[in-house]
């Protein structure tokens, strides 16, 4: 499932019928692999307020991270070491991490790293895989989440294609024929200031929930009740089919 951030995660978990597990407001996250993808994952978690540790086996790559835009972040820690060395990982506190994410280029090394993290006590583990046939295999191993690199590519492509719009686009990994779209309600939109039932939204798109900011800039999620009034700057999380992404664009284009 795609989520716009930690603030909306609990709502999505409830929506899909799962129990919400306690999660710290400032989680400790370890990213195994200082690749381009690993740095993007680390950057995202830093933006969410997490403490992030990157474990990289190649000394040159580990040193190069200091020159990256996130290299000087006070909540970033870069470790040069073997991610499957129990002595090294225990020394850096791997077992005390809330989340472990594998971002290595080799699928088998990624799987080994996450199984090792689980063995050390990390309860939330995930990885990016090049071989989509391995996704369900690793889920059966107990790894919390796994993503086919193709879906990452599709997500990135949609973002690039629609970069002039307010929305973010993501293929929902558990529902392959559904795309999650985030759009902001602008003052010029015909449905701004109207109730959802009066907005003229077609059957092929569904508003999953509404994110709204208060006067202090804090975001909260609201159920898309037909009588809910949409106001300027609301964020609508919309589910639709890939064939209707262009139609959603037209609906929000002003």
């Amino acid at each position: 499932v795609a989520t716009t951030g930690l603030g909306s995660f609990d709502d999505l978990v409830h929506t899909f019928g799962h129990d919400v597990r306690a999660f710290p407001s400032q989680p400790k996250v370890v990213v195994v692999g200082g690749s381009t993808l690993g740095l993007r994952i680390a950057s995202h978690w830093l933006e969410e307020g997490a403490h992030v540790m990157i474990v990289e086996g190649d000394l040159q790559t580990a040193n190069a991270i200091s020159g990256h835009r996130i290299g000087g972040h006070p909540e970033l820690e870069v470790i040069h070491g073997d991610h499957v060395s129990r002595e090294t990982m225990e020394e850096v506190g791997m077992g005390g991490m809330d989340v472990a994410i594998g971002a290595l280029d080799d699928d088998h090394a990624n799987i080994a790293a996450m199984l090792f993290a689980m063995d050390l006590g990390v309860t939330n583990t995930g990885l990016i895989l090049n071989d989509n046939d391995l996704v369900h295999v690793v889920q059966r191993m107990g790894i919390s989440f796994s993503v086919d690199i193709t879906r990452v590519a599709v997500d990135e492509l949609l973002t690039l294609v629609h970069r002039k719009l307010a929305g973010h686009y993501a293929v929902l990994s558990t529902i392959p024929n559904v795309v999650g779209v985030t759009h902001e309600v602008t003052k010029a939109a015909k449905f701004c200031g109207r109730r959802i039932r009066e907005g003229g939204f077609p059957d092929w798109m569904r508003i999953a929930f509404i994110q709204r900011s208060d006067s202090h800039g804090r975001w909260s999620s609201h159920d898309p009740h037909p009588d809910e009034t949409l106001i300027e700057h609301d964020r609508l999380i919309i589910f639709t089919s890939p064939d209707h992404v262009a139609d959603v664009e037209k609906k929000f284009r002003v």
Side-chain angles (χ1 to χ4, degrees):
V1 176
T3 176
T4 55
L6 293 177
S8 61
F9 184 77
D10 286 357
D11 298 289
L12 278 175
V13 170
H14 277 303
T15 298
F16 287 95
H18 299 291
D19 294 327
V20 177
R21 291 186 293 181
F23 203 73
S25 58
Q26 187 181 22
K28 293 181 290 185
V29 179
V30 57
V31 179
V32 179
S35 61
T36 300
L37 181 58
L39 291 176
R40 287 183 57 192
I41 293 171
S43 177
H44 167 76
W45 279 100
L46 289 170
E47 290 172 1
E48 294 284 355
H51 173 80
V52 178
M53 178 172 68
I54 298 176
V55 178
E56 172 55 51
D58 180 73
L59 179 59
Q60 185 175 356
T61 301
N63 289 335
I65 295 175
S66 62
H68 190 269
R69 64 179 180 82
I70 65 171
H73 198 288
E75 292 297 330
L76 176 67
E77 184 179 4
V78 181
I79 302 295
H80 169 239
D82 185 356
H83 57 270
V84 290
S85 166
R86 177 174 291 274
E87 181 180 357
T88 300
M89 292 301 96
E90 287 182 344
E91 184 178 343
V92 300
M94 168 76 89
M97 293 292 172
D98 299 299
V99 180
I101 302 174
L104 298 166
D105 293 330
D106 182 86
D107 284 350
H108 295 95
N110 245 352
I111 294 171
M114 292 304 98
L115 290 175
F116 186 70
M118 290 169 57
D119 188 45
L120 289 177
V122 182
T123 55
N124 300 290
T125 53
L127 71 170
I128 309 295
L129 296 170
N130 293 292
D131 185 351
N132 61 354
D133 291 333
L134 289 174
V135 171
H136 296 297
V137 173
V138 299
Q139 287 174 338
R140 289 196 294 271
M141 291 178 181
I143 294 175
S144 304
F145 62 92
S146 52
V147 179
D148 171 11
I149 192 68
T150 305
R151 297 203 182 280
V152 177
V154 170
D155 183 26
E156 182 69 11
L157 177 61
L158 285 169
T159 301
L160 290 173
V161 169
H162 306 286
R163 63 168 54 188
K164 294 184 180 179
L165 299 176
H168 298 287
Y169 302 77
V171 175
L172 305 185
S173 59
T174 55
I175 318 174
N177 294 320
V178 176
V179 175
V181 184
T182 305
H183 265 297
E184 181 178 340
V185 176
T186 63
K187 187 176 182 179
K190 294 180 180 179
F191 43 81
C192 183
R194 295 186 177 184
R195 295 182 298 175
I196 290 178
R197 68 167 72 249
E198 301 168 339
F201 296 105
D203 293 336
W204 44 258
M205 60 174 283
R206 177 180 177 182
I207 300 175
F209 57 91
I210 304 164
Q211 288 190 312
R212 182 170 295 160
S213 177
D214 62 17
S215 58
H216 300 288
R218 294 187 295 256
W219 289 90
S220 59
S221 297
H222 300 258
D223 292 330
H225 190 277
D227 290 324
E228 181 74 29
T229 299
L230 299 176
I231 61 177
E232 187 180 4
H233 302 309
D234 277 355
R235 293 176 183 169
L236 305 185
I237 286 71
I238 298 166
F239 292 168
T240 189
S241 68
D243 294 338
H244 284 298
V245 169
D247 297 316
V248 173
E249 292 177 13
K250 293 177 183 178
K251 183 72 177 175
F252 282 81
R253 186 179 295 129
V254 293

